[in-house]
Amino acid sequence: VNAFTSRDSTCFYARVLDSHLNEASDILCEMFFDSLFSESDVANERGVVLEEIDMYRDTPEDVVIEQLMAKTFPGALGKPVLGRPASLEGMTGASLRAFKEREYSPDRIVVSVCGSFTDKNLRQLCDRFSALAPSKPHSCRKSAYTSAVVVKRKATEQNHFCLSFPGLPDGAPNRFAWQVLSMALGGGMSSRLFQTVREKHGLCYSIGSFTAAYKETGTPAVGRDSEEKALALIREEIEKFRQDGITDKELRTARELIKSSIILSLESSSSRMNRLGSGLLLLGRCLTADEIIERYDAVTTESVLALAREKLAPEMMGFSAVGRLAPAEDYLSVFGK
């Protein structure tokens, strides 16, 4: 039994034997509907979260992404998930209860169940949640991507860099080509960035890229004496990608890696639960595994090239760095900015 919070959702979940489903449902519903929010519990949890904040501040690969998010997405999306010490200090049991009752409105809640269950189990859940009173959540200041530069000097043995480009919104039809692009560019050991910067030149320990519904970014960690060459190689690979796209072989490799991950995830009830819940919450529907694979099979080298030329434009690049850094202008000159 646990919970997690991302930038756009919060999930309360339990994983149990099917014989304990009713007990798990009761516990989750009690947490969801009847939490006490006592001041002593709030004080304890505030201390836990403050420790988490300190832990992430000591982790440069987290700091480099967090500070870039804050600059490239001014507004709600750019705020840290954990909050800040000042905002935590102002929270009380009463304010948290009021927040929950206001923001957890019925139309914003999805209940996802995966595994061995009966229609009776579902009816019981429906009965519990049908009693939830409607509310009027506050609107958030919308966030839109903007290119930005942010550097933070920190006494680390390795310098960490993060480059970002504008991504695609939730549900965009070409998000499957976008994922293939990211996989081919920096998604794993066969990707261009890994093969060029790490394997061929040995300039970093880790490098890769990932996509989210709001950005696409790469994160290399390099030594101070090799950072300029590493960044220059990254710039060259991105530019090659914009000019020529990917080969048929790269497309097949990226596609198979993604499809393998999807199919293997079907063996986990937790993965299925998360996929179903997030799909309905964020997209309004749940694609089946076959539908998702069909979308990836439809991706072409031409569609990836079109996205690369549209999204990986140098003028839209965001840049973040943490470590024993040179002036920001030195790094930007490598990218012609």
Side-chain angles (χ1 to χ4, degrees), residues 246 248 251 299-308:
I246 62 175
D248 290 335
L251 175 60
V299 173
T300 64
T301 55
E302 291 78 12
S303 62
V304 174
L305 176 59
L307 269 179

Side-chain angles (χ1 to χ4, degrees), residues 71 74 117 131 159 178 209 219 242 290 295 326-327 332 337:
K71 289 292 185 180
F117 55 88
N159 288 351
W178 189 231
S209 68
T219 55
R242 289 192 73 222
D290 287 341
R295 303 295 199 281
L332 295 180
K337 290 172 70 71

Side-chain angles (χ1 to χ4, degrees), residues 25 59 71 84 95 103 142 158 185-186 189 206 242 332:
S25 298
T59 311
K71 289 292 185 180
R84 298 184 175 91
S95 70
E103 300 295 333
K142 292 185 178 180
Q158 285 187 316
L185 184 60
M189 292 186 292
S206 65
R242 289 192 73 222
L332 295 180

Side-chain angles (χ1 to χ4, degrees), residues 114 259-273 275-276 287-290 292-293:
C114 184
K259 287 162 59 176
S260 297
S261 175
I262 293 168
I263 293 170
L264 290 173
S265 73
L266 298 179
E267 298 180 5
S268 164
S269 58
S270 296
S271 295
R272 284 176 177 259
M273 177 202 70
R275 181 170 61 83
L276 293 171
L287 293 177
T288 67
D290 287 341
I292 295 172
I293 289 173

Side-chain angles (χ1 to χ4, degrees), residues 231-249:
L231 292 174
L233 288 170
I234 293 170
R235 180 203 66 201
E236 291 175 11
E237 290 300 327
I238 292 174
E239 190 55 35
K240 287 179 186 176
F241 218 100
R242 289 192 73 222
Q243 294 298 321
D244 306 320
I246 62 175
T247 65
D248 290 335
K249 180 181 179 181

Side-chain angles (χ1 to χ4, degrees), residues 4 6 8-13 106-115 117 170 266 268-288 292:
F4 64 83
S6 68
D8 53 11
S9 63
T10 298
C11 175
F12 305 87
Y13 66 94
D107 59 317
R108 305 174 82 187
I109 296 169
V110 168
V111 179
S112 176
V113 186
C114 184
F117 55 88
D170 285 325
L266 298 179
S268 164
S269 58
S270 296
S271 295
R272 284 176 177 259
M273 177 202 70
N274 282 317
R275 181 170 61 83
L276 293 171
S278 61
L280 192 58
L281 181 67
L282 302 177
L283 305 178
R285 65 163 299 198
C286 306
L287 293 177
T288 67
I292 295 172

Side-chain angles (χ1 to χ4, degrees), residues 29-135:
C29 287
E30 187 173 347
M31 290 165 57
F32 194 85
F33 289 99
D34 305 318
S35 287
L36 294 177
F37 293 108
S38 68
E39 293 302 331
S40 60
D41 287 342
V42 171
N44 286 339
E45 290 304 315
R46 181 186 293 115
V48 172
V49 177
L50 288 172
E51 289 294 329
E52 285 189 85
I53 291 173
D54 289 340
M55 179 182 71
Y56 283 111
R57 283 176 174 173
D58 288 338
T59 311
E61 55 264 40
D62 292 324
V63 174
V64 74
I65 295 176
E66 192 68 57
Q67 68 182 17
L68 184 61
M69 284 293 298
K71 289 292 185 180
T72 55
F73 287 101
L77 191 59
K79 294 183 182 298
V81 173
L82 287 172
R84 298 184 175 91
S87 64
L88 291 172
E89 286 302 321
M91 294 179 186
T92 65
S95 70
L96 290 173
R97 181 189 296 278
F99 177 89
K100 191 266 287 187
E101 293 176 350
R102 182 184 71 240
E103 300 295 333
Y104 285 18
S105 61
D107 59 317
R108 305 174 82 187
I109 296 169
V110 168
V111 179
S112 176
V113 186
C114 184
S116 175
F117 55 88
T118 66
D119 290 341
K120 181 180 179 181
N121 297 137
L122 294 183
R123 286 195 299 271
Q124 290 172 338
L125 284 171
C126 289
D127 289 343
R128 292 294 297 271
F129 281 89
S130 64
L132 193 64
S135 62

